[in-house]
Amino acid sequence: MEEIIKRVSIREYLDKEVEKEKVEKLLLAGQVAPSARNQRPWEFIVCDDKELLNEISSRCKNHYMAKDAPLAIIVLGNKNKEKSPMYTYQDLSAATENILLEATHLGLGSVWLGVAPNEERMTNLKEIFNLTDDYFAFSIIVIGYPKNEVIKERKYDDSLVHHNKLNKKYE
């Protein structure tokens, strides 16, 4: 629970490389996500090239933080692996969230940048990374050591929970 509660979106990073061992742990976290019918439709691009990170930042609206980060992981959908296409986005979301949580566990900051289903962003990433038609970019996870510590108090909110019937509270 600690990482789940502690995780926040980080948009400013130190100029410090993320160690290879940590990158491998992040990728493992993504690869062990739950998946419908075990289709595991994901593949990952690890991007630490400053020119490409700048291009992501300039071509994808609101993805400005990529230019100052040491690392981004692009979560791809592989259409050839789809056994249950209607659940692919859920699977890719689970992989993305696993990576975010592992980043927090490793003392890294991260932010989920949405790509799919925004056609312009998907096209831009297809062009930036020369993706074939078998692949589509689902999300970008920008990762690095946080420039500033962000602490948000998060509390359980019982008003968001309903039991048995809507508006009937558990007693």
Side-chain angles (χ1 to χ4, degrees):
M1 285 297 289
E2 183 178 337
E3 282 81 13
I4 294 170
I5 293 169
K6 186 177 171 186
R7 196 215 65 77
V8 294
S9 294
I10 301 294
R11 293 174 175 83
E12 294 183 54
Y13 305 93
L14 297 174
D15 185 18
K16 179 180 176 183
E17 187 176 308
V18 177
E19 299 86 345
K20 183 177 187 264
E21 301 78 31
K22 289 187 177 184
V23 174
E24 288 175 358
K25 288 179 180 180
L26 294 167
L27 295 167
L28 174 61
Q31 293 174 25
V32 299
S35 175
R37 296 184 60 211
N38 201 32
Q39 68 179 344
R40 301 167 40 89
W42 47 67
E43 292 192 26
F44 307 91
I45 296 173
V46 177
C47 180
D48 59 2
D49 181 287
K50 280 296 184 191
E51 285 184 33
L52 292 174
L53 292 168
N54 282 329
E55 192 168 352
I56 290 169
S57 179
S58 66
R59 290 183 63 179
C60 297
K61 185 179 179 184
N62 297 322
H63 292 176
Y64 61 88
M65 64 287 298
K67 70 180 174 5
D68 296 320
L71 176 71
I73 295 175
I74 295 84
V75 178
L76 301 176
N78 181 335
K79 296 175 187 175
N80 295 320
K81 293 182 177 181
E82 293 179 322
K83 297 176 192 171
S84 295
M86 65 187 293
Y87 296 113
T88 295
Y89 278 19
Q90 292 175 359
D91 292 351
L92 298 173
S93 293
T96 301
E97 181 67 8
N98 274 13
I99 293 169
L100 293 167
L101 292 172
E102 180 63 11
T104 300
H105 176 74
L106 295 172
L108 299 166
S110 61
V111 63
W112 178 336
L113 304 180
V115 178
N118 182 303
E119 289 294 331
E120 181 181 352
R121 290 177 185 175
M122 293 171 77
T123 299
N124 284 334
L125 287 166
K126 181 177 183 172
E127 292 171 357
I128 291 168
F129 292 103
N130 298 311
L131 301 177
T132 66
D133 289 338
D134 295 332
Y135 295 93
F136 65 92
F138 173 75
S139 65
I140 302 168
I141 308 162
V142 175
I143 302 166
Y145 287 93
K147 191 172 190 176
N148 304 300
E149 185 174 5
V150 177
I151 300 173
K152 289 189 177 179
E153 186 176 340
R154 298 173 187 235
K155 294 182 179 179
Y156 179 82
D157 184 350
D158 191 52
S159 71
L160 302 174
V161 181
H162 306 278
H163 296 274
N164 299 320
K165 293 183 180 181
L166 195 60
N167 296 324
K168 180 182 178 196
K169 295 296 176 188
Y170 181 76
E171 299 171 2

